Amino acid sequence: MTDPIYLDYNATTPVAPEVLDAMLPWLREQFGNPSSTHAYGRRAAQAVATARRQVADLIGAKPHEIVFTGCATESNNLALLGTARSMIETGSAKRHIVISAVEHPAVLAPAIQLRAQGWDVTVLPVDALGRVSAEQVAKVLRDDTALVSIMHANNEVGTLQPIPEIAAVTSQRGIHLHTDAAQSAGKVPLNVDALGVDLLTLAGHKFYAPKGIGALYVREGTPILAVLHGADQEHGLRPGTENVAAIVALGAAAALVNASLETMAAHMLILRDQLHQALIAAIPGLQLNGHPEQRLPNTLHVSFPGVSGRLLLAEVADVLAASVGSACHSEHDAVSGVLAAMGVDATRAAGAVRLSVGRMTTSDEIHRAAKSLATAWQSLLAR
């Protein structure tokens, strides 16, 4: 049986062959602990150092500003809870953070935890396209604001936030800025200085590395303390013996997407727009969710009129693998938190489907996917 066409790259990506090749020796013969001083340990330590440089190069950072973590969720928790711990431990009176209404649960959940601990959390609304503005951020900043955390690109609709403009506001007030860029790497250029951020989250499995590895960029001088307790690996911010094989894979993936970013972004944009145009031609009333221009080049989030997105994807399950959006985990047509924050009504939200292309997607797959979705939509309407 032929595998379905994969259009769920925002959920996870396959491990690139080049990345797997780089990783395998560190699962076989190169098994040393990077903290050991003998030859095995030194080789492992060098491999980690090389990967740290590769990840730093991807985002325009310095190698010592990269902290390897187990995933983007851990990075986000470290960014928020580590900043909070730093405020507490240093005697700062700052107890206010700002997030947006469309943040991933990996940012929302630690923010809620801080609220339970007495912190004040401001949740900024987004407009109908899923964006916050620098003006909105400026209005809610206070003398006791410790951190602003606004995602770079939304994982559902793909909308890009105006991070440089927000950074101009926060830096003027001496407030640190974190962005969850898990969905951005390998799709759009990332440069920490151009963005103006102090903390930035990466997830390996979103750009062709395996699951279980991530990174947090911490700008030199940014106040942050560890939230796990142990030895002093990763500059004392993330204790635990390093997962060398996964770290090597993350570095290889960073180098891969960095070398081909412009070409791959153009490739994904062409295919995404081909898919969109094909669906528009076949499905009257199809609606785009998210910003029409300021969004990821690989992401197409659309609402199919008159049908359930969940049932539509079930209808094409043998042909196509996609999702209704990561915030909708039930078997029912629940409105995702992101779409609700954007003011999308329940009927339109019920018909929503997220289609995301990747490096391996072909034009032929796009053609077949569009045809299958259109046929399934017509079939469901006729029932």
Side-chain angles (χ1 to χ4, degrees):
M1 181 179 176
T2 304
D3 284 338
I5 298 164
Y6 188 72
L7 293 183
D8 205 16
Y9 281 83
N10 280 12
T12 196
T13 60
V15 178
E18 303 94 320
V19 173
L20 182 60
D21 288 344
M23 179 184 189
L24 283 176
W26 302 94
L27 289 171
R28 292 172 174 161
E29 62 272 14
Q30 300 295 349
F31 54 83
N33 185 325
S35 296
S36 299
T37 57
H38 48 60
Y40 293 91
R42 290 196 301 272
R43 284 196 292 266
Q46 183 56 53
V48 170
T50 297
R52 202 182 304 277
R53 187 191 71 246
Q54 290 170 319
V55 173
D57 287 346
L58 175 64
I59 61 174
K62 301 167 186 173
H64 69 268
E65 296 174 315
I66 302 299
V67 176
F68 292 120
T69 65
C71 57
T73 293
E74 184 185 344
S75 294
N76 286 336
N77 272 260
L78 177 56
L80 272 68
L81 301 181
T83 296
R85 185 182 170 213
S86 176
M87 296 297 106
I88 295 168
E89 295 286 330
T90 58
S92 171
K94 293 185 175 183
R95 295 293 187 275
H96 176 233
I97 66 170
V98 179
I99 65 172
S100 83
V102 293
E103 294 303 312
H104 190 277
V107 165
L108 179 60
I112 290 173
Q113 182 181 352
L114 289 174
R115 178 180 280 163
Q117 296 172 1
W119 283 64
D120 196 359
V121 178
T122 297
V123 181
L124 292 174
V126 296
D127 64 19
L129 301 178
R131 292 189 113 204
V132 299
S133 69
E135 290 75 19
Q136 283 177 281
V137 174
K139 287 179 182 178
V140 300
L141 295 182
R142 310 183 328 204
D143 290 342
D144 66 338
T145 304
L147 183 71
V148 174
S149 180
I150 306 291
M151 64 175 16
H152 187 225
N154 185 260
N155 48 303
E156 288 191 43
V157 298
T159 294
L160 292 162
Q161 300 292 349
I163 299 299
E165 290 84 352
I166 293 171
V169 170
T170 55
S171 63
Q172 193 174 47
R173 297 283 297 270
I175 296 167
H176 295 287
L177 176 63
H178 165 249
T179 192
D180 179 353
Q183 283 293 347
S184 305
K187 300 168 188 170
V188 295
L190 284 178
N191 183 283
V192 293
D193 289 334
L195 291 171
V197 296
D198 303 292
L199 299 153
L200 180 144
T201 290
L202 294 172
H205 77 105
K206 303 295 188 182
F207 60 100
Y208 310 97
K211 300 166 188 67
I213 184 65
L216 179 67
Y217 158 76
V218 181
R219 185 180 293 277
E220 189 173 359
T222 300
I224 187 171
L225 292 174
V227 296
L228 299 176
H229 303 283
D232 60 356
Q233 292 96 340
E234 295 305 300
H235 321 304
L237 286 177
R238 206 280 186 168
T241 301
E242 297 90 343
N243 184 348
V244 179
I247 288 171
V248 167
L250 184 67
L256 175 68
V257 298
N258 201 19
S260 58
L261 180 60
E262 186 174 346
T263 302
M264 284 299 102
H267 167 75
M268 292 186 290
L269 179 61
I270 289 170
L271 295 183
R272 182 201 75 184
D273 288 350
Q274 282 180 355
L275 179 59
H276 193 192
Q277 291 306 311
L279 291 175
I280 288 174
I283 302 170
L286 186 83
Q287 292 178 288
L288 176 69
N289 300 312
H291 202 287
E293 297 173 353
Q294 295 300 318
R295 62 184 162 116
L296 294 171
N298 80 314
T299 304
L300 178 64
H301 195 286
V302 288
S303 288
F304 290 78
V307 303
S308 156
R310 176 178 58 84
L311 294 179
L312 179 68
L313 291 182
E315 191 82 1
V316 298
D318 291 340
V319 180
L320 173 66
S323 68
V324 294
S326 62
C328 184
H329 298 293
S330 74
E331 295 181 357
H332 307 288
D333 295 322
V335 178
S336 91
V338 170
L339 295 183
M342 291 166 55
V344 175
D345 64 64
T347 300
R348 177 174 169 180
V353 171
R354 182 186 68 182
L355 304 162
S356 48
V357 305
R359 294 172 64 89
M360 291 80 162
T361 309
T362 67
S363 184
D364 177 66
E365 288 177 325
I366 291 299
H367 173 75
R368 289 189 286 127
K371 185 176 180 180
S372 296
L373 287 166
T375 300
W377 174 74
Q378 292 166 351
S379 175
L380 287 174
L381 278 185
R383 293 179 189 173

